[in-house]
Amino acid sequence: MENQTGWPDQLFDVLKNAEVRQVGYVPDAGHARLIERCKADNDIRDVVLSTEEEGVALAAGAWLGGQRAALLMQSSGVGNCINMLSLINTCRFPFLTFITMRGEWAEFNPWQVPMSQATEPVLTAIGVKCYRADRPEDVADTAQAAAELAFGGDFAVAVLLSQKLIGRKVWVK
C-alpha cells in the first residue's frame, strides 16, 4: 500500500485518547500500520479474529466488562458481520469500527466492487452511522467525532477510510 504516512498514527492517537483498550481485526494491509501500533502498546489488547463478525461480539464483551473496543476491517468484511450488527441495535451498546475501503479508486480486482458499493447502504440500514475520510488531514478529526458519538451516545459508528486515502493496492504475480 502506498500513502500510509501519518494518518494511521493519528488514528492510533485517537484510539488512545478515547481509552480504547481492545482492538479486534482480521489482518488487512490497509490497517497494517495501525495494527502494528496497537500490537506494540501494552495498554491495548489486540485480538486477531477469524471473521469480522467476531469483532462485534468482542466489542459487546468489552463493553460489558467496562472497557472500550474498536473493530478494524476491510469493506469486504462488512458483509460478514451484518447479521451480528443487529446485536448492537437490540442491546444498545457503543460500537466503533474503522473500515478500509476496496472497490473504489484504482481498484484492480472486480470482486471488490459490489461489496464496496453496498458497504455504506447496508451499514446505514442496520443502524450504523457512517462517517467518511478521503484525505489524510480528515482522518483524526473524523475518527475523534466518531469515537465521541459512539462512546458518548452509545451509538454504532463506522468510519469509512477511502481507497484513495489508503493508497493504490498493487497486484504482484
Side-chain angles (χ1 to χ4, degrees):
M1 292 284 185
E2 59 184 37
N3 200 20
Q4 286 217 336
T5 57
W7 67 264
D9 293 323
Q10 294 171 1
L11 184 50
F12 176 78
D13 291 341
V14 169
L15 293 178
K16 289 290 287 183
N17 290 334
E19 300 178 359
V20 169
R21 295 292 176 256
Q22 297 184 39
V23 173
Y25 59 91
V26 174
D28 169 37
H31 282 304
R33 174 70 183 155
L34 179 57
I35 291 169
E36 178 184 292
R37 292 288 311 270
C38 291
K39 290 176 81 166
D41 190 298
N42 290 331
D43 293 331
I44 294 178
R45 181 171 183 213
D46 68 291
V47 180
V48 180
L49 308 169
S50 59
T51 179
E52 293 80 359
E53 67 184 326
E54 293 173 353
V56 178
L58 174 80
W63 186 250
L64 289 171
Q67 293 188 342
R68 294 177 173 181
L71 172 60
L72 312 179
M73 66 177 150
Q74 189 181 76
S75 54
S76 58
V78 171
N80 296 336
C81 60
I82 289 300
N83 191 40
M84 220 24 203
L85 289 170
S86 65
L87 179 71
I88 299 167
N89 265 340
T90 303
C91 298
R92 298 191 40 92
F93 65 85
F95 179 74
L96 180 62
T97 184
F98 296 92
I99 300 168
T100 54
M101 295 300 294
R102 291 285 311 268
E104 296 182 329
W105 178 79
E107 178 61 64
F108 68 87
N109 183 350
W111 291 98
Q112 294 286 346
V113 175
M115 193 60 228
S116 172
Q117 292 174 322
T119 296
E120 187 169 351
V122 297
L123 287 171
T124 301
I126 200 71
V128 177
K129 308 235 179 281
C130 294
Y131 293 168
R132 186 176 180 90
D134 295 314
R135 303 175 310 158
E137 58 269 29
D138 296 337
V139 172
D141 193 42
T142 303
Q144 181 63 41
E148 289 172 5
L149 184 60
F151 298 121
D154 292 343
F155 282 97
V157 186
V159 175
L160 309 181
L161 303 165
S162 78
Q163 191 163 6
K164 194 166 191 174
L165 170 72
I166 62 173
R168 183 185 314 261
K169 189 162 188 167
V170 179
W171 175 258
V172 179
K173 291 183 181 179

